[in-house]
Amino acid sequence: MTSSLIENVALQAAQRCIERECGASYSLDDRLYVCRRCGGLLEIARGSESADTAETLRGVWQQRLASNDVRDRSGVWRYRELLPFGEDARVVSLMEGNTPLYDARRAARYCGLDNLKLKHQGCNPTGSFKDTGMTAAVTQAALLGVETVVCASTGNTSASLAAYAARADLKCAILVPRGQISHAKLAQSLDYGAAVLELEGNFDDCMRVIRELAEDESFYLVNSINPFRIEGQKTVAAEMLQQLEWNVPDHVVVPGGNLGNSSALGKGFVELYELGVIDRLPKLSVVQAGGAAPFAQLFADRQMLTGKDAEGVNWLGSVSLIAIEHPQTLASAIKIGSPISWKKASRAVVETGGFVLSVSENEIADAKAVIGRDGIGCEPASATTVAGIKRLVADGLIKSDETIVAVLTGHVLKDADYAINYHRDTLFTHDRTPGKSKEERHIAGLFGNPPARVKATKQGILDQLARREEGKDYAGGDD
Ligand code: F0G
């Protein structure tokens, strides 16, 4: 039953322009990134399926949790009925997905909530959510028979692509802004054997150049402009909901950078809803870092914080996002001024009735430390979610008894320097505005936990631990 469903999806699916007035359609094996007719973004449009599939799908996905088939072990390919690939497609997988959904007691209290769940996409094979999309994009690259896969990146996409390209035996070239990605991410890409090209400029410059490069047939671009990436990433919606036993949360909150993730989750939720697998949509909200928040600015300008459906759809056709030329944030993963997928993400937020907002560097830093204190941890960009939720609760837009899932996008070890500087109280923004003092650039955290130097004696250690108990050396605040 489901293998025929897979074939149906694969056969009937097409690449379609998202612009309503255009809607041009292209076959799945057509190699293009934007619409040839109007330049609009492309998405995979599913074919129609029979009406009674929801229960079957839920049953099959549940059974697969106990299977040893390589595709069933992957938290992406387990949901292959949702994907535009045939049953016999040779998948390139690192058994991505399967990430935990944690209860976060302290983070909930910090936000003013009864409960908060954290879906930790940083527990993927290369330590970020990118793997769920990359398995699909590199599978497509291999099917197309391309020689070299390429991307521009703030570090995680490149680490992920480098790994999947190595698995598929494809050549890989990545463009990163020199000196602006974390050591850990750079180290990964080098280890996985990619050609790492460091550009003078920021991520947006890398994105511009890589798109020019991809006009050359020998390079296949797998940034989230590639609709197959989005397909893989959307399965996170299914995995999360299955973990929740198909009880739809009131809110799902994600960080926003290039806006591929929010676009993908939105698509995932909407498709599950259309298939009847879930009976309502969660509100999908996006949180950006204040210094790199063109999407939040767009919504603030249009007073779209509580986007209404019809209004939103009309509104989308008539506005354009104003890029930020020099984005600034220590959350380097989301230091992006001109997000590619803003239209798809707008649609997702408006369709689901979510919010878009930005938070300060201080809010991000403290939220990250709180997530750490739950024993979970994440990289700075991921912590925008908890900081954003705290704001939304304070503003009365999220109620304390609502059900919330925040998506953590990267592992805590992705940016160890940031964590160490925070806890040592040596975290400074890179803001070089003339006249701005070092003191003004200092991020004074509320939960610093600096390491202590102790004499190499038992008594030295006991004394230090006693001081810590008294709270003298530790600003963390216990409960
Ligand atoms: N969180 C992390 C850890 C990321 O690496 C990114 C994006 C985001 C959030 C934002 O997701 O772009 O889909 O809105 N990183 C990209 C990269 C840009 O190149 O690794 P988005």
Side-chain angles (χ1 to χ4, degrees), residues 129-130 153-157 256-261 333-334 336 379 381 409:
F129 73 104
K130 305 290 182 178
S153 181
T154 55
N156 277 329
T157 302
N258 217 12
L259 299 174
N261 198 29
I334 51 172
I336 295 174
E379 69 166 286
T409 45

Side-chain angles (χ1 to χ4, degrees), residues 67 85 122 191 198 271 277-278 367 404 435 446 465:
S67 155
F85 294 90
D191 233 30
E198 299 183 303
E271 287 182 4
V277 174
I278 51 174
I404 328 279
L446 294 173
L465 290 178

Side-chain angles (χ1 to χ4, degrees), residues 85-412:
F85 294 90
E87 177 67 15
D88 54 359
R90 276 194 55 207
V91 306
V92 182
S93 172
L94 281 163
M95 304 208 185
E96 50 290 316
N98 300 307
T99 60
L101 183 67
Y102 294 120
D103 272 311
R105 199 171 53 86
R106 284 175 201 250
R109 196 166 343 129
Y110 178 71
C111 293
L113 291 169
D114 297 345
N115 290 292
L116 173 63
K117 290 192 189 299
L118 303 177
K119 173 74 174 149
H120 205 335
Q121 292 296 94
C123 297
N124 267 291
T126 76
S128 87
F129 73 104
K130 305 290 182 178
D131 295 344
T132 54
M134 211 51 85
T135 184
V138 174
T139 292
Q140 177 67 4
L143 283 172
L144 291 173
V146 307
E147 205 177 299
T148 307
V149 281
V150 297
C151 74
S153 181
T154 55
N156 277 329
T157 302
S158 46
S160 181
L161 176 59
Y164 281 84
R167 298 295 297 172
D169 227 356
L170 296 174
K171 287 188 210 158
C172 170
I174 62 173
L175 263 58
V176 295
R178 195 175 75 82
Q180 296 183 45
I181 74 169
S182 80
H183 281 117
K185 297 173 188 177
L186 183 61
Q188 285 182 289
S189 302
L190 297 173
D191 233 30
Y192 299 136
V196 177
L197 309 167
E198 299 183 303
L199 255 69
E200 294 298 340
N202 60 24
F203 170 80
D204 299 300
D205 297 316
C206 295
M207 198 66 226
R208 179 176 46 76
V209 176
I210 202 91
R211 288 184 70 174
E212 279 173 36
L213 191 71
E215 285 166 14
D216 186 321
E217 276 282 299
S218 53
F219 299 109
Y220 187 61
L221 180 60
V222 298
N223 275 98
S224 54
I225 196 171
N226 182 319
F228 292 92
R229 264 277 303 282
I230 301 290
E231 289 303 289
Q233 254 167 247
K234 80 180 180 191
T235 61
V236 176
E239 185 177 271
M240 175 198 299
L241 285 161
Q242 187 173 12
Q243 287 168 318
L244 291 167
E245 296 180 338
W246 307 108
N247 293 311
V248 179
D250 297 311
H251 299 268
V252 173
V253 183
V254 295
N258 217 12
L259 299 174
N261 198 29
S262 32
S263 304
L265 272 165
K267 189 169 194 282
F269 290 129
V270 168
E271 287 182 4
L272 289 168
Y273 178 70
E274 285 170 356
L275 282 165
V277 174
I278 51 174
D279 55 7
R280 65 183 181 118
L281 291 170
K283 292 186 171 76
L284 182 67
S285 295
V286 181
V287 191
Q288 296 201 291
F295 192 53
Q297 194 55 51
L298 177 73
F299 271 68
D301 285 352
R302 306 295 303 191
Q303 299 182 325
M304 281 296 295
L305 274 173
T306 53
K308 304 251 178 350
D309 209 337
E311 186 194 345
V313 172
N314 296 337
W315 167 78
L316 275 181
S318 63
V319 293
S320 34
L321 176 130
I322 300 169
I324 289 175
E325 210 178 324
H326 300 294
Q328 283 298 339
T329 173
L330 291 179
S332 58
I334 51 172
K335 193 175 161 192
I336 295 174
S338 181
I340 290 279
S341 296
W342 69 269
K343 279 199 177 178
K344 286 185 183 177
S346 301
R347 198 178 54 183
V349 169
V350 170
E351 265 182 339
T352 63
F355 310 108
V356 183
L357 67 160
S358 67
V359 290
S360 70
E361 295 293 302
N362 263 87
E363 290 174 289
I364 295 171
D366 285 334
K368 180 178 134 52
V370 169
I371 295 165
R373 297 285 314 275
D374 261 320
I376 295 170
C378 64
E379 69 166 286
S382 310
T384 55
T385 52
V386 167
I389 292 167
K390 185 173 166 61
R391 275 272 194 95
L392 290 169
V393 173
D395 292 348
L397 294 168
I398 289 182
K399 307 274 176 298
S400 62
D401 61 348
E402 287 189 293
T403 48
I404 328 279
V405 178
V407 179
L408 303 182
T409 45
H411 196 278
V412 65

